[in-house]
Every structure is written in C-alpha cells, then in structure tokens.
Amino acid sequence: MHHFGKIVFTGSDLRTDFKIYRSFSQLLLPIGRSTNEFFVECRDGKVHFFVGSDDHTSFNFISRFFMRLYPSYVAPETPDLRNKNWRRYLMWHGDRRSGEFYFPDLIDSLVSFHHTFPDIDLTYRCSIISGRSRSTIRYSVYIDVTVGPSALNTDGIFALFEQTLGYLRMRHGVRIRRSMLLPIIMDNKMRYTFNLINFVRIPVDIDV
C-alpha cells in the first residue's frame, strides 16, 4: 500500500536549518526494499509539497523529518499523478568527489520557472532508494519531471532543467541523466545523507 501526505505549513519561516537537516537526514532513507518520494507540485502560481512511501514506517519517518525541520504537519492527501507524461532522470555517478555539498539550483530553478510562467504546471518527484554497502547505509535517487500543456515548446522547458543537471555534474561530479528505463535495481551511489538537501528541500522563496 502506498502512503501519501501533503506538507501543510503553520508558520512563515521556511529556512532550512543545515544542522537539523544533517542530524535527521537518515529519516529520509526508506527501510528495506521500499522507496520514499518527495513531490514539488507547481500549479496556478502556487507550490505544494508532498511526501510518499510504499512502507508505513518509512512514511512516518519522512513525515516526521519535515515536521522537525519546518513549522508544519503532514495531512493525508495524494498528489495529482493522473495522465502524467514524465521524463525520468537516473543517478549515474554519486558524491565521491565532493563529499558533502549544497547545490540549491535544482529545486529553485523549477520553482522560479513556475513563478515566471504561473500558467504552466510543473511536477517534480524525487524517489529515494537505499541499501547497505558492507556496514554503511547508502542510497541513490531518481527524478521524474512533468510539464503541463502550454504554448511554449516542452523540449525547451526540459532543456533548462537538464542544463541545471549539467551544472550539478560540473561542480560536484554528481551525474544524473535522462533514461527511458524503470530503475528496478539501482546501485547505492551516494554516501552522505546530508546531500539529499540538494533533491529534497523546501525553497524559501515560494508562495505556498
């Protein structure tokens, strides 16, 4: 059974505390062979955030993580996943070169684009898969992005997003590229759970 919830904010201070993120980032990793999800849903000039998991305990962990990090609670609600034409991006190289790093451009670029073009719906989904390498918990991610209908060229919109992925590779050696394959089995490519802040985070400059 899949569990979903919407993050509902109860305060206006949505700055991400790096110390808290680092201390509690293990809660973002799913248990066993399950998958955790984080959604950024942009529509009608507003930005909505959801969490999901196919494991009940993992869903509670990721929900508690956001409630600890931001003034919020998680209400039962499912993101709009109907009739979505997703483009999938898989992680091919991890964080061995950079160690811990912060790259806000990925999520910020999507939200900024929607603020510029509020009539174009965007949905970003980051899925987290974890496992053990010897005695160390490691993880990998894949990203799905969908763009709603508009007068703009859809390929051009995706090109902007893929350009940001290129900057991520150049600056930190983390390579995420488009794939048509469903990631049934993935290597655990990331060593530092703090680095999930680059894929799973509430940007400050939003209108929720």
Side-chain angles (χ1 to χ4, degrees), residues 152-165:
L152 299 183
N153 182 282
T154 302
D155 289 337
I157 298 173
F158 278 111
L160 292 175
F161 178 71
E162 291 167 4
Q163 185 179 45
T164 304
L165 294 179

Side-chain angles (χ1 to χ4, degrees), residues 173-191:
V174 176
R175 185 175 183 180
I176 299 177
R177 65 185 186 186
R178 188 181 177 190
S179 176
M180 305 298 292
L181 301 176
L182 180 67
I184 299 175
I185 299 176
M186 294 180 63
D187 294 331
N188 297 295
K189 300 182 182 299
M190 299 285 275
R191 295 183 293 174

Side-chain angles (χ1 to χ4, degrees), residues 16-186:
T16 301
D17 187 309
F18 283 27
K19 184 177 180 180
I20 294 177
Y21 201 107
R22 182 179 288 106
S23 298
F24 290 91
S25 56
Q26 292 282 346
L27 294 177
L28 293 172
L29 300 184
I31 296 173
R33 297 179 178 270
S34 55
T35 301
N36 284 354
E37 296 171 318
F38 170 70
F39 296 84
V40 182
E41 193 175 90
C42 306
R43 63 175 186 268
D44 302 325
K46 299 286 187 179
V47 185
H48 309 272
F49 301 89
F50 297 83
V51 292
S53 182
D54 53 7
D55 175 76
H56 178 71
T57 300
S58 298
F59 176 74
N60 275 275
F61 282 173
I62 192 173
S63 298
R64 289 289 179 177
F65 171 82
F66 279 96
M67 293 165 62
R68 178 66 179 85
L69 192 59
Y70 306 103
S72 65
Y73 63 93
V74 176
E77 187 173 335
T78 302
D80 183 10
L81 302 176
R82 299 169 298 172
N83 302 320
K84 297 292 188 181
N85 184 20
W86 300 94
R87 284 199 186 185
R88 174 157 290 171
Y89 301 87
L90 303 184
M91 179 177 291
W92 293 84
H93 296 287
D95 56 5
R96 295 184 180 183
R97 189 176 82 187
S98 288
E100 286 191 350
F101 67 93
Y102 179 55
F103 181 80
D105 306 38
L106 191 62
I107 297 176
D108 289 358
S109 62
L110 287 174
V111 174
S112 297
F113 181 88
H114 185 66
H115 284 165
T116 306
F117 300 95
D119 56 322
I120 301 177
D121 294 345
L122 298 170
T123 303
Y124 163 97
R125 174 173 60 192
C126 175
S127 301
I128 308 167
I129 300 174
S130 70
R132 284 190 174 271
S133 176
R134 297 179 182 176
S135 61
T136 304
I137 297 177
R138 301 180 69 174
Y139 70 94
S140 192
V141 303
Y142 61 94
I143 294 169
D144 296 298
V145 179
T146 185
V147 178
S150 73
L152 299 183
N153 182 282
T154 302
D155 289 337
I157 298 173
F158 278 111
L160 292 175
F161 178 71
E162 291 167 4
Q163 185 179 45
T164 304
L165 294 179
Y167 294 149
L168 177 63
R169 176 182 57 82
M170 288 187 292
R171 295 180 193 175
H172 302 290
V174 176
R175 185 175 183 180
I176 299 177
R177 65 185 186 186
R178 188 181 177 190
S179 176
M180 305 298 292
L181 301 176
L182 180 67
I184 299 175
I185 299 176
M186 294 180 63

